[in-house]
Amino acid sequence: MSDIETFEIIRYTADVVAVTPDGDVLLIERDWPPYQGAWALPGGHVDPGETSRAAAARELAEETGVPVMPADLRQIGTFDAPGRDPRGRYVTVAYLATVPADTPIVAGTDARTAAWWPLTSLPPLAFDHADILRAITTR
């Protein structure tokens, strides 16, 4: 074994599946690469000193204008498959938020637009976000 070990840089993110009781999910159209112009779940990097739950609530508000309390987010799972992000190794913790059907949305940071989509009729999604959505529909 070499005296020099190689470590893979792993980035830590949080994503949010915000759904309405009538079956719509909130997606953003990404404004930055990778997947610029593609639809994705709201989410982003966990800041130093921040929990993934707090980051999820912050990212949802920043990208869509939808405020939720971190305590109201329910963890869906951890997604860490190699290759899930073309920028390198990313591990995300995904959360579920149920919000009223009339919740207003406004695209914010990192989003060209934000829109409600029926869970039964989704566009192609960036990253492994289709897998995250499948995790909530198979519960």
Side-chain angles (χ1 to χ4, degrees):
M1 179 186 260
S2 167
D3 289 340
I4 300 174
E5 293 185 41
T6 303
F7 294 96
E8 180 179 26
I9 295 172
I10 299 175
R11 293 160 187 92
Y12 184 31
T13 60
D15 293 307
V16 181
V17 177
V19 295
T20 64
D22 55 351
D24 288 338
V25 64
L26 183 55
L27 299 176
I28 62 156
E29 184 181 12
R30 290 181 54 82
D31 200 26
W32 302 99
Y35 299 106
Q36 185 172 7
W39 291 94
L41 296 168
H45 291 93
V46 176
D47 290 340
E50 186 177 45
T51 65
S52 62
R53 189 178 304 271
R58 175 183 53 76
E59 288 287 345
L60 180 63
E62 286 177 1
E63 293 184 357
T64 69
V66 175
V68 296
M69 297 300 298
D72 293 333
L73 295 171
R74 190 170 50 130
Q75 187 172 332
I76 297 167
T78 302
F79 296 82
D80 63 353
R84 65 177 297 275
D85 190 309
R87 297 171 290 186
R89 187 70 188 265
Y90 277 77
V91 174
T92 197
V93 180
Y95 292 91
L96 179 66
T98 302
V99 299
D102 60 351
T103 300
I105 54 176
V106 178
T109 61
D110 298 337
R112 284 184 186 171
T113 189
W116 293 105
W117 287 81
L119 277 167
T120 57
S121 181
L122 295 171
L125 298 175
F127 307 103
D128 61 350
H129 291 183
D131 295 336
I132 295 171
L133 286 172
R134 271 191 292 281
I136 68 161
T137 59
T138 58
R139 290 183 153 201

